[in-house]
Amino acid sequence: MFAAYLIGLREGLEATLVVSILVALLVKSDRRNRLPHVWLGVGAAVALSVLFGWLIEYTSTRLLQTSESRELFEAVTSVAAVVFVTWMIFWMRKAARSIAGELRGKLAEALAVGAFAVTGMAFLAVIREGLETALIFYSAAQSTAGGAGRNAMLALVGGIATAVVIGFLLYRSALKLNLSKFFTWTGALLILIAAGIFKYGVHDFQEAGVLPGLNAHAFDISAVLDPSTWYAALLTGMFNITATPSVLELVAWVAYAVPVLVLFLRKPAKPATLAATAPDATADAVPARDPDEAPKPAEPVTNDASATTSPRA
């Protein structure tokens, strides 16, 4: 349930921040008449995401007749979910500082085209998060609980609802949240969850006969990690850590979790050399002003840095 809640919270907050930025830009530019088109695009994206999640579940439970085909389908969706969540985590880390400016430019272009373009922009901004959520949730539920149960679904909905509340409070400036730290911590947890999904995908490939070594266990710590205890259920439910993994499952978990965590938590290098040489380059590029020439009035300076944490700024 915690894994499902975290998926809903993380993906939901990303979508909520995008929508709140769009709404704030329309309100500030006095284009409130376009708000219904934004909500139409958001609603269409949510509906399609739910349909996509239902289609995945329907394919697994109704269309696939043999256990081997179901195992293979779950393995493929697990690997796809790991690819999506890894790309999403690193993309958000890179684009967080510039997302408000990019949305501002795209929204201006959409407003110039018309209502359909605004609806399409809102739809595209949310549908990516929705499809990722459906795929990651399905894979996480399969790997941790043997199926997308009711409790996992309630936890996912609870995470999305929490994200909507947080996004609304940020929009109303009633809540201050360090989004950088939030996305760092949730990103690290999602990487561990993705490692468990990848491990489960390898297990499904083994059960489907695609990969060997299903019964070649790396170790057996059942005496320490009793599957009937609450802490064993917690580790299995969150990160798919089991007492008797196969050698290939263990290799897959470690091979994904360790390098991806190191790359994600590593601080990006600061362009110190460029910063040191920038003043000289600027001085050479700007011509000297005539002493007798009247100075030009300074242009107003705008600050967009706060747009990533406060959509109304």
Side-chain angles (χ1 to χ4, degrees), residues 42-272:
V42 172
V46 172
L48 183 59
S49 301
V50 173
L51 178 62
F52 178 68
W54 173 84
L55 183 61
I56 295 176
E57 180 67 19
Y58 182 80
T59 301
S60 176
T61 57
R62 301 294 180 87
L63 298 183
L64 302 178
Q65 301 298 326
T66 64
S67 60
E68 290 80 6
S69 60
R70 285 192 292 269
E71 297 292 347
L72 186 59
F73 177 79
E74 292 176 5
V76 172
T77 54
S78 296
V79 173
V82 171
V83 172
F84 273 112
V85 73
T86 306
W87 173 83
M88 175 267 297
I89 289 172
F90 283 95
W91 176 85
M92 191 63 187
R93 179 189 179 190
K94 180 180 179 181
R97 296 182 179 275
S98 61
I99 188 171
E102 293 178 0
L103 287 174
R104 183 182 293 108
K106 292 180 180 179
L107 182 60
E109 296 176 359
L111 288 172
V113 174
F116 181 79
V118 175
T119 301
M121 180 187 173
F123 174 82
L124 293 175
V126 176
I127 189 61
R128 181 190 63 208
E129 308 296 340
L131 295 180
E132 286 179 0
T133 301
L135 183 60
I136 297 169
F137 168 71
Y138 171 80
S139 301
Q142 293 295 327
S143 64
T144 58
R150 182 180 179 182
N151 290 337
M153 178 60 71
L154 291 176
L156 177 72
V157 174
I160 295 175
T162 304
V164 172
V165 172
I166 293 175
F168 177 77
L169 293 177
L170 288 173
Y171 174 79
R172 302 297 298 179
S173 299
L175 175 68
K176 293 186 180 298
L177 178 66
N178 190 323
L179 294 179
S180 177
K181 290 185 177 180
F182 173 84
F183 284 122
T184 297
W185 283 102
T186 56
L189 288 174
L190 276 181
I191 288 173
L192 295 178
I193 292 174
I197 295 175
F198 186 50
K199 172 178 173 289
Y200 183 79
V202 170
H203 177 79
D204 277 339
F205 275 126
Q206 290 178 315
E207 288 194 337
V210 177
L211 294 177
L214 178 61
N215 298 317
H217 298 302
F219 49 77
D220 186 352
I221 55 172
S222 301
V224 178
L225 193 65
D226 186 356
S228 62
T229 59
W230 66 268
Y231 54 87
L234 181 65
L235 291 175
T236 302
M238 289 181 60
F239 310 124
N240 199 21
I241 297 177
T242 55
T244 56
S246 69
V247 174
L248 203 54
E249 287 179 274
L250 180 63
V251 170
W253 198 98
V254 175
Y256 174 84
V258 174
V260 174
L261 269 177
V262 170
L263 290 174
F264 178 73
L265 296 177
R266 185 181 61 180
K267 294 183 178 180
K270 296 182 179 180

Side-chain angles (χ1 to χ4, degrees), residues 34-45:
R34 296 303 188 191
L35 288 177
H37 303 109
V38 171
W39 297 123
L40 178 61
V42 172

